[in-house]
Amino acid sequence: GQQVMQIPQYQHVQEGEDFTTYCNSSTTLSNIQWYKQRPGGHPVFLIQLVKSGEVKKQKRLTFQFGEAKKNSSLHITATQTTDVGTYFCAGPILTGGGNKLTFGTGTQLKVEL
Amino acid sequence: NAGVTQTPKFRVLKTGQSMTLLCAQDMNHEYMYWYRQDPGMGLRLIHYSVGEGTTAKGEVPDGYNVSRLKKQNFLLGLESAAPSQTSVYFCASSLSGGAYEQYFGPGTRLTVT
């Protein structure tokens, strides 16, 4: 079945350093979504990418969707303590029961002062 | 709008006991989902529903049952709780399938002793 893998699983950075997490799918995706989960919280939608090669920015966050629509990345420039959390990518799969998201395993980011 | 709400927030069960987790959404979403989240395992889909009166199995459905009698509510039942079901349970909803963002509830932390 379709799988969505993320690397790395964990990342410790010093405040001010950059951070990147990578998402890879075994099949072509119609879109890729990114979510953030703060410690003790619930996942919150960040962004959706639809087009091949698409790049979107949200302040210090840059999201990319690969040309083949099978991979994506999230890059954070100059991390801050507010960036702490787990970042999930998610892509849709089509099954007999409907079209639903498959979530990656997530990348846990810790930012040290 | 309250978004997605879940009750209860915390629960401790003894092995063999039963309970029902309630999820409610006020966004008129068609799709609803139940996930469990365990350390290092990401979000795993238990069951989902593509509309009122429908349910379907996800990735890890064993030991759980669900019902969607009303569009706004999605119930998750544990008939005979086991320690392996100790987890954080999240409910989510989306307007439609995989092309749409999911809105998550705050979660229920369940411990089975």
Side-chain angles (χ1 to χ4, degrees):
Chain A
Q2 178 176 347
Q3 292 186 346
V4 180
M5 308 298 291
Q6 270 185 266
I7 55 171
Q9 188 174 4
Y10 302 98
Q11 185 80 59
H12 280 93
V13 299
Q14 296 289 324
E15 190 177 40
E17 292 182 338
D18 292 356
F19 159 78
T20 304
T21 174
Y22 300 91
C23 178
N24 293 287
S25 170
S26 56
T27 60
T28 302
L29 300 170
S30 60
N31 71 83
I32 192 87
Q33 299 180 17
W34 285 91
Y35 292 76
K36 177 184 179 181
Q37 183 178 21
R38 295 182 187 274
H42 59 277
V44 175
F45 174 81
L46 293 176
I47 206 162
Q48 181 185 73
L49 305 171
V50 179
K51 299 177 182 177
S52 170
E54 189 171 13
V55 178
K56 288 188 176 181
K57 292 189 176 183
Q58 289 180 349
K59 297 182 180 179
R60 293 178 295 103
L61 277 62
T62 301
F63 303 84
Q64 290 188 318
F65 200 9
E67 293 291 339
K69 300 183 77 172
K70 295 179 70 173
N71 58 75
S72 181
S73 65
L74 159 59
H75 179 81
I76 302 178
T77 302
T79 55
Q80 299 175 359
T81 54
T82 54
D83 295 325
V84 166
T86 301
Y87 293 85
F88 294 97
C89 63
I93 62 168
L94 186 62
T95 68
N99 188 355
K100 62 189 192 305
L101 286 178
T102 294
F103 282 82
T105 48
T107 296
Q108 186 177 346
L109 173 63
K110 294 192 175 181
V111 180
E112 298 175 355
L113 293 172
Chain B
N1 287 349
V4 180
T5 58
Q6 291 182 235
T7 53
K9 287 186 170 56
F10 303 93
R11 185 73 186 267
V12 178
L13 288 179
K14 294 185 177 179
T15 299
Q17 287 185 321
S18 63
M19 77 164 295
T20 300
L21 281 69
L22 172 63
C23 175
Q25 53 95 5
D26 60 2
M27 297 172 282
N28 202 34
H29 284 173
E30 289 294 333
Y31 280 52
M32 295 188 74
Y33 315 82
W34 276 107
Y35 295 91
R36 61 176 290 172
Q37 186 174 42
D38 303 295
M41 298 294 290
L43 293 161
R44 292 187 292 170
L45 184 64
I46 304 171
H47 286 281
Y48 65 102
S49 168
V50 302
E52 181 179 309
T54 75
T55 63
K57 293 181 180 180
E59 182 185 353
V60 288
D62 294 341
Y64 306 94
N65 56 76
V66 288
S67 64
R68 182 109 181 260
L69 299 179
K70 293 183 178 181
K71 186 176 184 178
Q72 63 268 35
N73 296 336
F74 196 28
L75 278 63
L76 178 71
L78 286 74
E79 291 188 348
S80 180
S84 61
Q85 294 177 305
T86 293
S87 188
V88 180
Y89 291 86
F90 288 103
C91 175
S93 71
S94 64
L95 187 63
S96 186
Y100 293 87
E101 66 187 89
Q102 292 190 9
Y103 294 79
F104 284 80
T108 295
R109 187 172 296 274
L110 174 66
T111 301
V112 183
T113 61

